[in-house]
Amino acid sequence: QITLKESGPTLVKPTQTLTLTCTFSGFSLSTSGVGVGWIRQPPGKALEWLALIYWNDDKRYSPSLKSRLTITKDTSKNQVVLTMTNMDPVDTATYYCALHSTVTTVFFDYWGQGTLVTVSS
Amino acid sequence: EIVLTQSPGTLSLSPGERATLSCRASQSVSSSYLAWYQQKPGQAPRLLIYGASSRATGIPDRFSGSGSGTDFTLTISRLEPEDFAVYYCQQYGSSPVFTFGPGTKVDIK
């Protein structure tokens, strides 16, 4: 059974750095073709893809947020970490992590439940 | 950068009716790399269709996808009460790797 779960602070102040952790089970991030991505959704708005890390440590970022994002993985702990610097109230959103595989659908087959992050002083 | 546009923004229909949702891309998208998701309030999105027309695991056959190039369609043949939700199209490409459309809300008339 594949599961993913996001964790991190629910409230951050403007200018702070956000660190979110995705802890997963049921698959390995050392398997060829597997990746874990981060997607966010401001309240009442659309989904926005943020970042993706592959089994081979290849990393991809949203061009509009690239300067603020860092994605890393710890294969032994089954975790992926996303950091976003210089947080602003417009970054208030539910943040999801999701499983991606280039050998299955190529899309996000499994998602975490999401974690709501509010940016406010 | 590929931009996805979805129409209509909201579709008001009754259970049992047919729903037709459109996704248009600013540049040609390989059919292999176009997907549809369903999202209900308070839930994560669920993958419905990938490769423009293949149903994901466990998706009922009342959901179907079609299209190519820049125009794609999601059809729900007969709306069930649980189908009232927001639907997003998504493309997988080079840069950015993923793009989502703005969504179409299907609500009860």
Side-chain angles (χ1 to χ4, degrees):
Chain A
Q1 182 188 6
I2 291 174
T3 65
L4 303 97
K5 187 172 184 179
E6 307 85 356
S7 59
T10 58
L11 179 66
V12 298
K13 290 181 167 50
T15 76
Q16 287 186 335
T17 294
L18 171 68
T19 300
L20 294 173
T21 300
C22 176
T23 303
F24 55 86
S25 63
F27 66 94
S28 173
L29 200 39
S30 59
T31 300
S32 180
V34 173
V36 171
W38 285 93
I39 304 98
R40 72 177 178 179
Q41 185 173 39
K45 296 188 177 182
L47 301 164
E48 178 183 21
W49 170 72
L50 301 176
L52 178 71
I53 189 165
Y54 285 103
W55 83 101
N56 59 0
D57 211 36
D58 186 16
K59 302 168 186 177
R60 304 297 171 92
Y61 296 100
S62 166
S64 63
L65 292 166
K66 185 176 183 178
S67 63
R68 299 174 54 205
L69 296 173
T70 302
I71 190 169
T72 60
K73 64 180 176 70
D74 186 331
T75 305
S76 64
K77 292 184 178 179
N78 281 353
Q79 291 182 333
V80 170
V81 175
L82 180 75
T83 60
M84 180 180 290
T85 61
N86 194 25
M87 293 292 285
D88 183 272
V90 300
D91 297 314
T92 294
T94 296
Y95 288 76
Y96 297 99
C97 62
L99 168 62
H100 160 74
S101 171
T102 60
V103 297
T104 56
T105 70
V106 181
F107 293 95
F108 295 117
D109 301 79
Y110 294 89
W111 294 62
Q113 64 191 23
T115 185
L116 176 62
V117 178
T118 301
V119 183
S120 175
S121 55
Chain B
E1 178 177 336
I2 294 179
V3 176
L4 299 178
T5 305
Q6 292 186 242
S7 61
T10 302
L11 194 54
S12 296
L13 295 169
S14 301
E17 289 193 295
R18 182 184 187 91
T20 303
L21 288 66
S22 173
C23 176
R24 179 161 291 178
S26 60
Q27 304 171 38
S28 184
V29 174
S30 167
S31 296
S32 299
Y33 298 148
L34 194 287
W36 292 90
Y37 295 83
Q38 176 193 67
Q39 187 180 32
K40 297 179 182 179
Q43 296 185 17
R46 176 175 71 149
L47 181 65
L48 293 178
I49 301 287
Y50 64 96
S53 60
S54 298
R55 279 186 297 276
T57 303
I59 302 303
D61 59 8
R62 64 180 181 271
F63 291 92
S64 63
S66 63
S68 64
T70 59
D71 291 296
F72 298 89
T73 300
L74 174 70
T75 302
I76 311 171
S77 58
R78 288 179 57 86
L79 283 163
E80 297 287 341
E82 61 268 27
D83 299 336
F84 291 92
V86 180
Y87 293 84
Y88 294 96
C89 60
Q90 183 196 28
Q91 70 89 29
Y92 169 66
S94 54
S95 182
V97 178
F98 292 105
T99 308
F100 288 95
T104 290
K105 182 179 183 180
V106 178
D107 66 13
I108 300 177
K109 187 174 182 180

